[in-house]
């Protein structure tokens, strides 16, 4: 299993979308990988939320506190 979006890209994935990556702790996370914005590279979405929902996010990036794991808020 890949440890980053870049590893997915290097293994031949070329379509942007949701991929599973393994964190340093061994846990597996679903994250959005952008495979097309920059030639020969990949970007990992770390945090995304609409300003309208900002009050719902009171924890740091180190805390696992998803709003909806099954239906993430990628498009807002």
């Amino acid at each position: 299993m890949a440890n980053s979006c870049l590893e997915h890209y290097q293994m031949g994935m070329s379509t942007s979308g949701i991929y599973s990556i393994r964190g340093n702790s061994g846990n597996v996370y679903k994250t959005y990988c952008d495979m097309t914005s920059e030639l020969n590279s990949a970007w990992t979405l770390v945090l995304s939320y609409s300003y309208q929902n900002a009050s719902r996010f009171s924890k740091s990036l180190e805390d696992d506190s998803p709003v909806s794991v099954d239906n993430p808020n990628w498009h807002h």
Side-chain angles (χ1 to χ4, degrees), residues 18-63:
I18 298 173
Y19 290 85
S20 294
I21 59 173
R22 184 176 310 280
N24 291 337
S25 64
N27 293 331
V28 176
Y29 302 95
K30 289 185 178 182
T31 189
Y32 183 84
C33 296
D34 177 347
M35 308 295 201
T36 59
S37 290
E38 192 170 328
L39 187 62
N40 298 319
S41 192
W43 288 93
T44 304
L45 181 64
V46 175
L47 177 67
S48 176
Y49 67 90
S50 66
Y51 186 73
Q52 172 185 344
N53 296 322
S55 64
R56 295 173 62 184
F57 298 91
S58 60
K59 295 187 177 188
S60 75
L61 291 176
E62 295 176 353
D63 295 323

Side-chain angles (χ1 to χ4, degrees), residues 6-20:
L6 182 58
E7 280 189 26
H8 277 297
Y9 181 82
Q10 291 169 338
M11 291 188 296
M13 302 298 164
S14 60
T15 303
S16 296
I18 298 173
Y19 290 85
S20 294

